[in-house]
């Protein structure tokens, strides 16, 4: 809750019960532009976030939005592939959860690469075992970011992907 700018308050009275109040400044997941903080990420980027978990989608979307990028959301790999291949205004970078329903990130990445897409793809995964990074890179990902995602690591992944791709 604190990572999303919120708070948690609990009060309790014997014999009366307890009250818990959770507040959050997180907004529904949608393109986010306002609230930019100081960052080294170039403005004007369009980033696809393919993530099935609503909490991770909100958190990572919020962090990306605070960097000043436009966030396009997909809830599974199939949505991501269809959006990217059918998009008239291309995205500059994709953060791809590797374990999603309908179509996982492994298959989505392979389909994008087989279709000729050179968009940088950064794998998002809770799997942080030896060999997982290499498996993501072999599937066609350009980078690897373990969950839980930290703001500093996310920002660094964006900067490195943009520099490698030569995106302004």
């Amino acid at each position: 809750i604190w990572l999303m700018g919120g708070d948690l308050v609990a009060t309790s009275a014997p014999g009366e019960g307890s009250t818990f109040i959770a507040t959050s400044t997180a907004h529904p997941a949608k393109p986010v532009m306002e609230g930019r903080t100081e960052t080294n990420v170039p403005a004007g980027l369009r980033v696809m976030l393919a993530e099935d978990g609503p909490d991770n989608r909100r958190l990572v979307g919020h962090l990306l939005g605070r960097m000043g990028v436009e966030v396009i959301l997909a809830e599974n790999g199939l949505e991501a592939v269809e959006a990217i291949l059918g998009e008239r205004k291309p995205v500059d970078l994709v953060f791809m959860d590797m374990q999603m329903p309908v179509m996982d990130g492994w298959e989505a990445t392979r389909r994008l690469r087989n279709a000729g897409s050179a968009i940088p793809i950064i794998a998002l995964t809770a799997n942080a075992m030896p060999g997982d990074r290499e498996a993501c890179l072999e599937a066609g990902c350009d980078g690897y970011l373990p969950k839980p995602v930290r703001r500093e690591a996310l920002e660094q992944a964006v900067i490195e992907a943009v520099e490698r791709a030569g995106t302004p």
Side-chain angles (χ1 to χ4, degrees), residues 15-99:
E16 293 182 28
S18 300
T19 302
F20 297 91
I21 300 172
T23 59
S24 173
T25 58
H27 301 285
K30 60 183 178 183
V32 180
M33 293 297 286
E34 65 273 359
R36 181 184 166 100
T37 58
E38 201 56 41
T39 179
N40 294 321
V41 173
L45 290 179
R46 293 186 85 226
V47 175
M48 165 72 68
L49 172 59
E51 167 65 62
D52 67 313
D55 292 337
N56 281 329
R57 207 169 38 246
R58 276 191 296 274
L59 175 61
V60 177
H62 176 76
L63 293 173
L64 288 168
R66 299 275 300 185
M67 291 176 206
V69 304
E70 180 182 357
V71 181
I72 312 302
L73 298 170
E75 292 186 15
N76 61 62
L78 183 60
E79 279 185 21
V81 169
E82 290 175 347
I84 291 168
L85 296 181
E87 185 68 49
R88 286 187 275 269
K89 188 177 177 187
V91 297
D92 300 299
L93 173 62
V94 177
F95 282 97
M96 183 78 73
D97 182 12
M98 300 311 281
Q99 296 178 329

Side-chain angles (χ1 to χ4, degrees), residues 108-155:
T109 299
R110 282 190 286 273
R111 287 195 186 187
L112 289 170
R113 295 305 185 224
N114 288 339
S117 176
I119 296 170
I121 300 173
I122 308 296
L124 290 177
T125 182
N127 294 337
M129 302 298 290
D132 288 334
R133 176 179 168 72
E134 292 73 21
C136 290
L137 299 177
E138 286 176 19
C141 293
D142 299 286
Y144 171 88
L145 197 57
K147 294 178 188 177
V149 175
R150 292 182 359 262
R151 184 194 61 77
E152 298 83 11
L154 183 68
E155 182 175 338

